[in-house]
Amino acid sequence: MGAILAFAAAGTVAWSGRPMVIPIPWAIPFGSLSFGVDRLSAFFLFPIAMVGGLGAVYAGGYLRRSSGVQAPRFFWFFYSIFFAFLLLVVTARNGLLFLMAWEGRSLASFFLVMVEHREPTVRSAGWTYLIAAHLGTACLLALFILLGDRNPTQDFEGFGVSGREGIRSLLFLLALIGFGVKAGMVPWHVWLPEAHPAAPSPVSAVMSGVMIKTGIYGLLRIMMFLGEPTLWPAWWGWTLVGLGALSGVGGVLLALAQKDLKRLLAYSSVENIGVISLGLGLWLCGVRVGNPAMAALGLWGALLHVWNHAVFKSLLFMSAGAVAHATGTRSLDRLGGLIHGMPFTSLAFFAGSVSLCGLPPFNGFISELLLYGSALAGILQPEGLRRIPVLAVGALGLMGGLALACFATAFGIGFLGQARSEEAAQAHEVSFLIAVPMGVAAVVCLGIGLMSPLAVAFTSFAAFDLMPILPGVIRVGGWEIPALFQRILVANVALCVMLVVLMAARRILLLHRRVEESSTWDCGYAAPTARMQYTASSFIWDILAMARVLRPRVKECRPLGLFPRSARLGTEEQDIFQRLFYNRLWRGIERCSDRLRRLQEGRNQIYVLYLALTVLALLLWKLGFSQ
Amino acid sequence: MFDILKARLKQKYRTLSYPKGPPPPLPARFAGRPVIGGRPCDTRCRRCADACPVGALQREEGQFPTLDTGKCLFCRECPGVCPTGAISFTREFRLAASSRERLTVTADSQGIPPVRHEIAATIFRRSLKLRQVSAGGCNACEADTNVLTTLAWDIGRFGIQFVASPRHADGLLITGPVTRNMQLALKKPTTRYRLRNS
Amino acid sequence: MNPPILCSLRNGETAVCSQESGVSFEQFRTLLGKGIEAGHRLSALFVVPDDSFDGARLVAVLARPMSGDLQMIGCAVGSSYPALTPGIPAAHWFEREIFEQWGIRPEGHPWLKPIRFQPPRSRSGGRPSLLLPTVGVTEFFRVEGEDVHEVAVGPVHAGVIEPGHFRFQCHGETVYHLEISLGYQHRGIERAVGEGNSPRMRHYIETLAGDSTIGHATAYCRVLEGLAGVRPSPRAEAVRMIAAELERLANHIGDLGAMAGDVGFLPAASYCGRIRGDVLNLTAELCGNRFGRGLIVPGGTGFDLDQTLESELKRRLDDIEADALSAIEQLFETPSVLARFDGVGEVSESLARQIGLVGVAGRASGLPCDVRSEFPYGFYQFVHVPVCTWGTGDCLARALVRRMEIQQSFAAIRALLQSLPADRSPPAVMTLAPRRWVASLTEGWRGEICHVAATDDEGQLAFYKVVDPSFHNWFGLACAMRDQLISDFPLCNKSFNLSYCGHDL
Amino acid sequence: MTPAFSFVSFGLAITLSPLLLGVIQKTKAFFAGREGAPLMQPYFDFVKLFRKGGVYSRTTSWVFWAGPIANLAAALLSLTFVPLGRIPAPAAFPGDVFMVAYSLSLGRFLMVLAALDTGSAFEGMGASREVRFSLLAEPVFFVSVLTLAVVTQGASLSEIYGTLPRHMVHQGISTIWLAGGAVALVLLVENARIPVDDPTTHLELTMIHEAMVLDHGGIDIGFVQYGAALKLWMFSALVAGAFFPFSSARPFLEVMGGIGGVFAVAVAVGIVESSMARLRLIRVPQLILLAGVLALMALLWAAR
């Protein structure tokens, strides 16, 4: 627990040091490794410290009662390391150090995922995660080698424009893939829904809340080295918007298909990463076409969303963990009715859901509004690249609707209605230690929503290195940003006031009337059961039916004949990317390895032959080369 | 659109002017509210009571018979057998009553009983939503209840409407004698209405 | 009053009670199976308690359209017998009824559940093995799996309709299976009617299914007339036919309106609803009651037409026909309506034959089943009404069949009004012959109505059996909903428009 | 134009929106050939509902009554951003259309949850349909409003609609009407009108909006219906603004014209409801996609 306080302190230090760029050179035996906190780092440090701290408090309560985690010490050890490396990643000012921190964090989180390693699904999730992390790191390695081409120290200060557009584009692509894997962007997201649910809930909260954001951090950091922003080619922007839209819509559609609460949350992280990259894409487009409003709002929206997502996603993971803890199941179709047994957790999950859906007056709304503002600015410009913001608006609108559907399922099926299983009916409220971090996170969610002008100001400050522009300068439709957000603040407050007024009005109107209790209207049927409620799968089935390829596989045994004996139906969600791409890839690799295995005949003569052939080939190559 | 208008012109405006105007013409063979004692009656004769298939006609010795319109089928057996014509069916169609006893027609009954309910007259005067529950009828009540919402009768114009859920309703319309199998189902929507045994 | 072992009767003809115990069960089963295979219909299957031995008699009434007669087969059974349903699905509902009423178990019946939740009959041949369950609580067929949800509709429905319980097994909007559980309207009419000549008899029959008053009352009167050997006057028969066709008109027009209402097509819905009322008012002109109560009495009719009423009817019928046909035309000319009806709730011809659909639903699936032409009775022997069929078996087909029948009914009524027979003899007095069996079929607007009755040694009614067309067709509705969208159920239900009270009795 | 008129128009919206429902009913009654409910019927209903007590299911929680409240609050909030004809809304800022859509979404989210809170299959069914159709309608709404924004170069709804009549003359009507048509289709989807939902068939299995509130009674259903009336007013104002350009020098006439437009839309809705059948539920997404195609065509044309 001591560690937590230290981390929180570190966060606070970063916070107070935010106005200045403070490079702190710090010599470490093998070279010039240095730390530093600039505005961007500070911006990322803060949620890391906060979520990490909350996660630790939560873990304190979680581990006390959980029988799932066999080795609390093991957990704490890796949690601390993980946390330290997370901080290191955003404070490292040197390529090598950065990579080491990056790798160390991956390993630590791998061990955390594997905490409950007795379960085979957890083991396979852990390995998937490790492989994905290393494939990403491979790209990063190449990236840093290229970046540090003329910079033997690998210090960030030395990185810089490496001239030609081709090289820069290559760097951009490498960064996009390398960091994209970590962030969980769509084609490379497959590890994420495996690893996050497998980890203990405090770890999922940190992983989903902040760890994947380091991918965004990395990408932004690298963007700083890619030269004059106005020279960036337009396709970077498109690519990011496209990837963002793909991740967003794809992620939320896949999230919809989930019946496991934590997997659902994991996929929704993919969606939120999509939102963030969409914002970054709008930024790039805005920069390219010289539309400062579009660029700034896009970047700020993306950055603010990093924060917001960190808070509400950790909140959601913590409440999901509390549910799993209390009921022993994460399957939505076995939950239900939790709002009676776990009122606080339900409220927390509700707050998280509203934030995640981007609904006023919570924080998600503010960042999404910034992105919409950016797109609006893009559409209203007289010419150039107007189709991109249209795509962005369409995608954001669709994501909003889908996220709403998704969290209506998660909260509505999981927490409301009648308990669908005995476990859910017996659910009990969480302990104080678990409740506190959830409460804090929920308050922060609402706080950011209600203090939107401040949040925007802060975000713009954090983005100053990337985009030296201040809110007061940006105008959308003749409005300055601070004035705009004051108006939004007023609207949000008005909404809250109206809610309170209406609630009071309802109370007063009911004061002298008869209010009675009864059962839900069941058409007068004698024996209603909990099965007569929509299931999660039924609730979203026809939405998924519209997106045919993403539809889960149905395993059914239909009622046949006039008097069917038995019938069964189940669905099995499947990740389209996994199915269409990765599974084929793995099968291909397997097939290749199979072929290679044929070389291993186990006979000495053959191996001798191989040796001879190799030597021969080497000789030939050497000869050819020297000539 | 054009066809719709044409059809509309062909079908004309059909809502009855009743209750503001005159009631619609009743069929010549319509049997309405019975009247007892229009003519003298042989107080020892029991033919009417014996002819009644449902026992709606009660006959105390030495008095005019009484007819319970809550049971009566309006089959018109009784006026057919009455030697003096003391029982007859009028063309009065207003048969409602606000209590079970008022449904019984005696020789003293004068005119139609007044139907009035205080709450109905104040709160539900302009807006009354009803939930219909059918309990053991023969579906004729339902059929004619549905007729009330058609063009001709159009009870919607009085603010009366049939709604889908008892929660939306201000009152229940129960049709049929209530079968044993409907007992429970009828109790469920009536959290706020006590069932009266009839 | 033992039923005949094996005999064939014309519609409404009587047969003398037999003294023997009947054919063997094997023969019974073979006869039934072969008959169904040859295209006959199982009109009724029931049990008659028998005091002469410890058991009961299983009686089937087979309607044989090819030869135009009814075959009655009886056999003795004990407290159980091998179920017929696996081979003859049309017996499904009947055997459940037998089990529920008498406790005689059809062994190997796939779905032996209560259908009316009624107490077992006291004079049951077998032991009443059914404890009286709570209504609607039974083992519904379940599609297993956590993804599946159930939708339980009823007994109290959202619309102004009768009570019944529908249990859907759904995933998303798709219905995987529907099971229908009725019995809420069970009033015990059949039993009350079977207990002798009460003065309430006719009224019971008239309110058996309020919208089919004419159909059931005609079947009942024909039962009595058959037993008494009385023939109503031709004029009375003609008036009965007018009433029957008016009933058909009113209900068909109302159903088309209700179907239009279910798909939200307001013009046709409002016009048809109103026109239905106008047709009912014609019936009220005949007898003072919109549903025709008191019109059909044993031996004739309770009311007659005079010259002014005749011309009044003709005049009003012309108006109604013009209005109705224009409203219906509008319904069928609106593409959005057709798109909505088309392909919803299909029942194939073979399925319809298998489960023994009758009436509009059967004809919409292509079965030429119509008692009026197969087993003509009353004035239908002289005025022929063409059978209207359609082959697709969906909601559109059921709507189209109704439209054709509306046209035919208008024509038939007009033809009748043109040439009403003149002779007016009052209803004759009924004296029922003792120890007789009779089966009477009529075509109500929903379909085939079957009444079977027997008299005892004193010439009192000792047994009465009613089969409403709904009894055959409810299972068809359940089958029609497989793999349909649940939002189409109300439409599909309305297109069958089956009777709850007629089924529950 | 003085802000006073904005507030006047807002006040009119709040008071007159139930009348809109009455107008639709009357129009339908005219086409059916019946007298129909009085124009003021919705007001009578509200007065009665607000005087009733309540029955609450034991399965429900605070979410159940919070739904209608949030829905009404969201509708009121969004209404403050919706102009009436050329009269600007009481509040406006660039991108306020997103505020409108998202606060409506908040109301919808809570209503869906309130429906699921009852644990009834009917309400689940309604909720499932509601989210399914609205998630498609939302982007369509955005795209069509953005089209109008491109045409008028306005960033807020008030700016867009304030200059729309002028642009209608300059830019040709086709784009604006295409976008307006898309908004009109969204209106039908969002407000539970035929051909999407049928507010008069009280059949649980086919309804969308009403199925969601089967268990709400008394004040709660009153809030729901009032929220629905406000929402209808809002969308009618947006459609009317696009279809009936009305500008006058006198603000008073502007207000009257705006209100006339709104009621004209209500009559049009009544006519649509009287002349066609509902779609099968699986066809509804196709209708929304049609609206989307309309909107996109308009946008591409405007931003060519």
Side-chain angles (χ1 to χ4, degrees), chain A residues 365-410:
Chain A
F365 175 62
I366 305 298
S367 42
E368 295 214 359
L369 201 61
L370 280 165
L371 296 184
Y372 278 117
S374 159
L376 184 68
I379 291 170
L380 286 181
Q381 70 196 354
E383 60 210 6
L385 280 185
R386 285 201 289 196
R387 258 164 273 166
I388 300 290
V390 169
L391 170 72
V393 168
L396 278 173
L398 202 57
M399 275 182 238
L402 286 167
L404 193 139
C406 184
F407 280 84
T409 322

Side-chain angles (χ1 to χ4, degrees), chain B residues 94-182:
Chain B
R94 286 168 291 182
L95 296 164
S98 38
S99 71
R100 181 71 183 82
E101 301 79 51
R102 289 264 176 91
L103 284 173
T104 305
V105 176
T106 64
D108 311 325
S109 303
Q110 306 231 320
I112 54 165
V115 184
R116 188 176 165 78
H117 194 280
E118 284 312 313
I119 296 177
T122 53
I123 298 182
F124 302 126
R125 193 157 58 97
R126 292 169 187 277
S127 162
L128 177 61
K129 311 281 168 189
L130 294 172
R131 170 68 274 199
Q132 192 268 353
V133 180
S134 159
C138 71
N139 196 28
C141 300
E142 288 76 39
D144 267 355
T145 307
N146 279 322
V147 166
L148 292 180
T149 58
T150 59
L151 309 182
W153 302 93
D154 192 23
I155 52 166
R157 63 197 155 128
F158 310 116
I160 305 174
Q161 214 187 347
F162 291 103
V163 291
S165 153
R167 298 277 192 275
H168 300 177
D170 308 316
L172 272 188
L173 174 68
I174 301 172
T175 55
V178 184
T179 53
R180 189 183 58 84
N181 283 349
M182 271 305 285

Side-chain angles (χ1 to χ4, degrees), chain A residues 525 531 535 537-538 558 571, chain C residues 136 147 149-150 156 169 171 483:
Chain A
Y525 181 61
R531 228 173 100 90
T535 60
S537 170
S538 273
R558 286 176 169 267
T571 58
Chain C
D147 296 47
H149 73 272
E150 288 179 13
V156 181
Q169 308 288 322
H171 184 236
D483 296 326

Side-chain angles (χ1 to χ4, degrees), chain C residues 141-378:
Chain C
F141 173 77
R142 266 172 71 147
V143 177
E144 300 292 335
E146 275 179 3
D147 296 47
V148 183
H149 73 272
E150 288 179 13
V151 181
V153 186
V156 181
H157 297 282
V160 182
I161 39 173
E162 295 177 81
H165 183 73
F166 299 83
R167 186 69 68 88
F168 298 88
Q169 308 288 322
C170 292
H171 184 236
E173 297 266 343
T174 313
V175 176
Y176 278 78
H177 192 265
L178 162 64
E179 197 167 341
I180 300 172
S181 167
L182 301 173
Y184 293 91
Q185 293 279 66
H186 177 64
R187 297 154 289 171
I189 285 192
E190 200 179 69
R191 198 185 314 185
V193 172
E195 285 166 2
N197 293 342
S198 143
R200 297 187 183 189
M201 274 288 275
R202 183 164 61 85
H203 305 293
Y204 280 142
I205 296 290
E206 280 178 344
T207 54
L208 208 140
D211 49 16
S212 304
T213 299
I214 303 289
H216 276 290
T218 309
Y220 164 72
C221 292
R222 286 180 46 74
V223 160
L224 292 196
E225 286 151 12
L227 289 171
V230 170
R231 287 185 74 96
S233 68
R235 188 172 175 92
E237 294 278 30
V239 173
R240 282 184 184 184
M241 181 171 163
I242 292 177
E245 293 306 317
L246 280 177
E247 186 174 79
R248 193 179 320 280
L249 265 184
N251 283 298
H252 281 0
I253 293 174
D255 282 353
L256 287 180
M259 285 173 77
D262 266 6
V263 300
F265 186 61
L266 298 181
S270 13
Y271 301 149
C272 287
R274 195 264 304 168
I275 297 164
R276 170 179 170 280
D278 287 353
V279 181
L280 289 180
N281 284 343
L282 288 190
T283 311
E285 288 296 333
L286 278 179
C287 66
N289 182 290
R290 283 157 61 89
F291 298 95
R293 291 188 192 158
L295 180 59
I296 316 283
V297 297
T301 54
F303 298 89
D304 196 11
L305 286 77
D306 53 20
Q307 202 59 51
T308 48
L309 186 55
E310 237 172 76
S311 53
E312 168 81 4
L313 281 187
K314 262 186 231 166
R315 188 182 60 75
R316 281 167 67 172
L317 200 69
D318 286 344
D319 290 351
I320 291 173
E321 184 170 11
D323 282 356
L325 294 186
S326 101
I328 293 170
E329 193 183 340
Q330 199 188 2
L331 179 70
F332 285 97
E333 274 181 359
T334 306
S336 56
V337 173
L338 295 183
R340 205 59 189 74
F341 285 179
D342 193 19
V344 174
E346 281 181 30
V347 180
S348 69
E349 188 181 338
S350 62
L351 179 65
R353 198 181 293 281
Q354 224 185 346
I355 56 183
L357 287 193
V358 297
V360 174
R363 292 195 282 276
S365 292
L367 302 184
C369 50
D370 190 333
V371 179
R372 290 175 294 172
S373 63
E374 290 170 323
F375 313 100
Y377 56 94

Side-chain angles (χ1 to χ4, degrees), chain C residues 77-142:
Chain C
V77 287
S79 62
S80 73
Y81 68 94
L84 299 165
T85 307
I88 306 163
H92 163 217
W93 221 255
F94 287 110
E95 293 199 304
R96 279 167 69 171
E97 184 190 32
I98 288 168
F99 178 56
E100 185 175 49
Q101 286 182 344
W102 305 101
I104 296 174
R105 177 180 287 274
E107 297 290 350
H109 190 290
W111 276 9
L112 204 53
K113 308 170 196 181
I115 60 168
R116 296 195 182 107
F117 300 90
Q118 71 188 81
R121 293 219 180 166
S122 51
R123 286 177 63 207
S124 64
R127 272 161 284 116
S129 55
L130 265 182
L131 280 176
L132 193 60
T134 319
V135 60
V137 180
T138 175
E139 271 189 28
F140 289 98
F141 173 77
R142 266 172 71 147

Side-chain angles (χ1 to χ4, degrees), chain A residues 180-374:
Chain A
V181 170
K182 197 50 156 189
M185 283 183 195
V186 139
W188 313 293
H189 67 283
V190 282
W191 64 271
L192 193 146
E194 304 299 327
H196 289 195
S201 295
V203 179
S204 329
V206 178
M207 282 174 80
S208 218
V210 287
M211 188 191 81
I212 58 173
K213 304 305 165 18
T214 54
I216 300 294
Y217 167 78
L219 187 61
L220 286 174
R221 182 61 74 193
I222 299 301
M223 299 299 287
M224 283 182 168
F225 308 138
L226 295 183
E228 190 59 28
T230 43
L231 294 179
W232 290 340
W235 67 264
W236 293 10
W238 302 349
T239 315
L240 268 175
V241 171
L243 270 182
L246 187 67
S247 304
V249 178
V252 69
L253 275 171
L254 287 167
L256 261 182
Q258 305 306 317
K259 288 182 273 183
D260 178 325
L261 193 52
K262 280 176 81 175
R263 272 180 82 87
L264 182 148
L265 293 178
Y267 269 113
S268 112
S269 294
V270 176
E271 180 223 344
N272 280 284
I273 289 295
V275 172
I276 294 169
S277 9
L278 201 101
L280 295 182
L282 286 174
W283 163 49
L284 293 185
C285 289
V287 167
R288 175 70 192 179
V289 298
N291 184 337
M294 179 180 174
L297 289 176
L299 180 59
W300 297 346
L303 283 179
L304 187 57
H305 204 74
V306 166
W307 261 37
N308 292 343
H309 182 242
V311 186
F312 61 63
K313 189 46 67 65
S314 50
L315 169 61
L316 287 168
F317 262 115
M318 287 190 287
S319 9
V323 169
H325 205 249
T327 61
T329 178
R330 298 189 314 225
S331 165
L332 284 175
D333 289 334
R334 299 187 55 75
L335 294 173
L338 296 177
I339 196 160
H340 300 292
M342 310 177 73
F344 181 80
T345 311
S346 305
L347 191 64
F349 195 91
F350 172 76
S353 307
V354 177
S355 313
L356 191 141
C357 294
L359 300 176
F362 282 80
N363 58 357
F365 175 62
I366 305 298
S367 42
E368 295 214 359
L369 201 61
L370 280 165
L371 296 184
Y372 278 117
S374 159

